[in-house]
Amino acid sequence: MEKEPTIIPDELLKTEMDFNSSAPTAIQGYKRRILTGMRPSGDLHLGHYAGALRNWLEMQERFDCTFLIADLHAFADNNDKPEYVRACVGQVALDWLSAGLDPEETHFTVQTGVPELENLTVLFETLVPLSVLQRNPTLKNELQNMRETQKTVSFHNYPVSEAADILGPLGDLVPAGDDQRPMIELTRNVARKVNDQFLADRQFKLPIPQIYTGSFGRIRGTDGNAKMGKSLGNVVNLNSSSRELKKRVNAIASPVKRLEEPGVVEGHLVLEYLDAFHRNPDEVAQFKEDYRKGGLGEGHLKASLYKELDDLLEPMREKRLQFARDPDFVRDVLRDGTNHTRQRVKMTLDQIRDAMGFNF
Ligand code: TRP
């Protein structure tokens, strides 16, 4: 049996929104607006695929999707490496295209290509108490691992900028990891505040966006660390060659035991990966049963995982080569998507500036 695609819960498909249905975007046949983003910080890996791209691929067919490459957020702690940040934007675009995101369906948006987002951020800053940022658990965590020179004002402020990213294009559904929950909570509070304080007597309202964490969570790194991350050196990149992939799969932490000894399934990393990536869940169930009894070796599990992942990555490798040969096309995809989003954000910004009385 083929693995079912992730099923998007019905309640997310409903077209009603939390905001006034006469808002400019709420036209007949309204599709929910997805807005989500990634900070460009190098090649994308399986963690991005399982936690984000796989959901996005499904969403792009049903929703109006805007996917943001958050280069300003990357710049906020990498301002000493502007060429690197710029190159990463291109890498992310290539990875997205190779994974199957379709620029005809979705708007690929470069954050700094929409300077109106920065305007909106400044307006939102006037509404958010500093203590809210100081208490943000995700931010607190990230700051712990940073050098002093990286802890810029802009970095501390990225949750507010994220609220602008979401509300500027009127996103109402945000697929994102659980770590982004505090950001979405902040976004909802900003939207409510703007609606109540400035837009109460206007037709135009901001959506109150929902987070959607999806049915696939985070996958662990190849070393067993709770997070797969480039700086942790425990990733499997989406652009790995077959050879690199084999090496990475063989390097996945697994228990040392004699073949015939019964094994422990719980917490077994290779089995976790098989759960996340094997197309046939029945086969994985069988693996688990056999592994528990003893007689099924790590080599067998890894060979199966390698095969599944190689089949997943092979079409991406081909597409990547094809797109890499056509940088003009990739640039146009980013320009077109960014311009489209820019029009939307301009409209939102105009409305909010006007409502705040900044219309001289
Ligand atoms: N901050 C997010 C991250 O680090 C990326 C991001 C930027 C984002 N803007 C966003 C995510 C808007 C969701 C919505 O992953």
Side-chain angles (χ1 to χ4, degrees):
M1 193 189 79
E2 289 280 297
K3 192 172 220 163
E4 294 271 319
T6 25
I7 305 294
I8 297 171
D10 279 349
E11 79 233 34
L12 293 186
L13 291 168
K14 281 195 209 139
T15 54
E16 302 105 68
M17 291 165 288
D18 286 11
F19 64 107
N20 189 336
S21 62
S22 57
T25 51
I27 45 176
Q28 269 240 296
Y30 178 87
K31 278 191 185 176
R32 289 200 69 159
R33 281 195 181 174
I34 303 283
L35 189 301
T36 188
M38 259 181 206
R39 188 187 301 216
S41 61
D43 297 327
L44 301 191
H45 51 66
L46 284 178
H48 294 109
Y49 186 79
L53 293 177
R54 176 151 55 182
N55 277 319
W56 298 8
L57 285 170
E58 197 191 344
M59 292 184 142
Q60 73 176 348
E61 292 174 13
R62 309 198 199 179
F63 300 109
D64 174 341
C65 291
T66 301
F67 299 127
L68 190 82
I69 304 179
D71 59 338
L72 191 68
H73 289 189
F75 204 83
D77 58 334
N78 286 290
N79 57 70
D80 54 336
K81 303 195 271 298
E83 315 78 22
Y84 172 73
V85 174
R86 193 181 166 83
C88 286
V89 172
Q91 290 301 322
V92 170
L94 268 185
D95 274 323
W96 285 3
L97 287 166
S98 320
L101 290 183
D102 178 359
E104 299 282 321
E105 301 267 0
T106 70
H107 314 296
F108 286 32
T109 301
V110 182
Q111 194 178 34
T112 53
V114 187
E116 288 76 11
L117 290 173
E118 295 154 33
N119 295 249
L120 203 54
T121 303
V122 170
L123 299 183
F124 289 170
E125 278 166 23
T126 65
L127 309 174
V128 180
L130 185 59
S131 58
V132 169
L133 295 179
Q134 287 167 332
R135 280 198 306 267
N136 184 309
T138 304
L139 194 63
K140 265 164 90 176
N141 224 339
E142 287 169 323
L143 284 165
Q144 267 178 3
N145 305 314
M146 289 167 75
R147 279 177 281 120
E148 208 51 38
T149 50
Q150 291 180 303
K151 299 179 187 174
T152 58
V153 174
S154 177
F155 189 85
H156 286 79
N157 199 40
Y158 94 75
V160 182
S161 152
E162 195 162 319
D165 293 342
I166 296 168
L167 298 173
L170 305 179
D172 59 29
L173 189 58
V174 186
D178 223 29
D179 60 332
Q180 296 298 302
R181 203 175 282 282
M183 319 304 176
I184 313 306
E185 212 38 61
L186 174 84
T187 304
R188 291 166 66 84
N189 288 336
V190 167
R192 286 196 196 98
K193 199 164 167 112
V194 172
N195 285 347
D196 294 351
Q197 216 160 302
F198 305 104
L199 300 174
D201 54 2
R202 295 187 178 226
Q203 273 208 332
F204 178 81
K205 300 275 189 280
L206 293 177
I208 311 295
Q210 286 175 285
I211 189 169
Y212 174 56
T213 49
S215 39
F216 296 100
R218 164 171 284 188
I219 57 164
R220 290 199 279 155
T222 53
D223 55 356
N225 193 303
K227 191 179 160 169
M228 182 176 274
K230 188 169 70 108
S231 57
L232 301 167
N234 62 8
V235 302
V236 181
N237 285 335
L238 295 181
N239 64 4
S240 313
S241 66
S242 293
R243 254 185 76 155
E244 284 163 339
L245 177 66
K246 189 162 264 166
K247 258 174 59 189
R248 299 302 299 150
V249 168
N250 284 330
I252 296 174
S254 62
V256 182
K257 69 167 189 67
R258 277 180 298 118
L259 179 64
E260 60 281 8
E261 245 180 87
V264 179
V265 163
E266 290 70 27
H268 193 294
L269 194 53
V270 181
L271 285 168
E272 260 177 46
Y273 276 55
L274 284 165
D275 266 334
F277 295 107
H278 202 296
R279 283 160 291 188
N280 184 346
D282 295 343
E283 207 165 304
V284 182
Q286 189 64 50
F287 284 156
K288 289 183 184 167
E289 203 182 310
D290 295 348
Y291 188 78
R292 238 186 225 115
K293 279 193 233 146
L296 180 62
E298 311 298 327
H300 190 86
L301 294 177
K302 285 188 173 175
S304 168
L305 177 62
Y306 167 73
K307 167 93 178 64
E308 289 298 313
L309 289 179
D310 201 45
D311 286 353
L312 175 71
L313 298 191
E314 182 53 26
M316 294 192 207
R317 292 181 194 123
E318 275 167 32
K319 283 204 215 153
R320 185 171 240 283
L321 272 179
Q322 187 193 319
F323 289 121
R325 268 190 236 115
D326 197 353
D328 289 351
F329 172 78
V330 179
R331 199 203 47 225
D332 286 348
V333 162
L334 292 179
R335 283 210 178 135
D336 293 350
T338 301
N339 283 334
H340 184 275
T341 302
R342 193 165 182 194
Q343 295 316 312
R344 289 184 171 179
V345 179
K346 273 188 175 149
M347 191 215 49
T348 309
L349 180 66
D350 282 350
Q351 291 276 353
I352 295 181
R353 280 177 58 90
D354 189 61
M356 287 180 162
F358 305 145
N359 48 10
F360 291 97

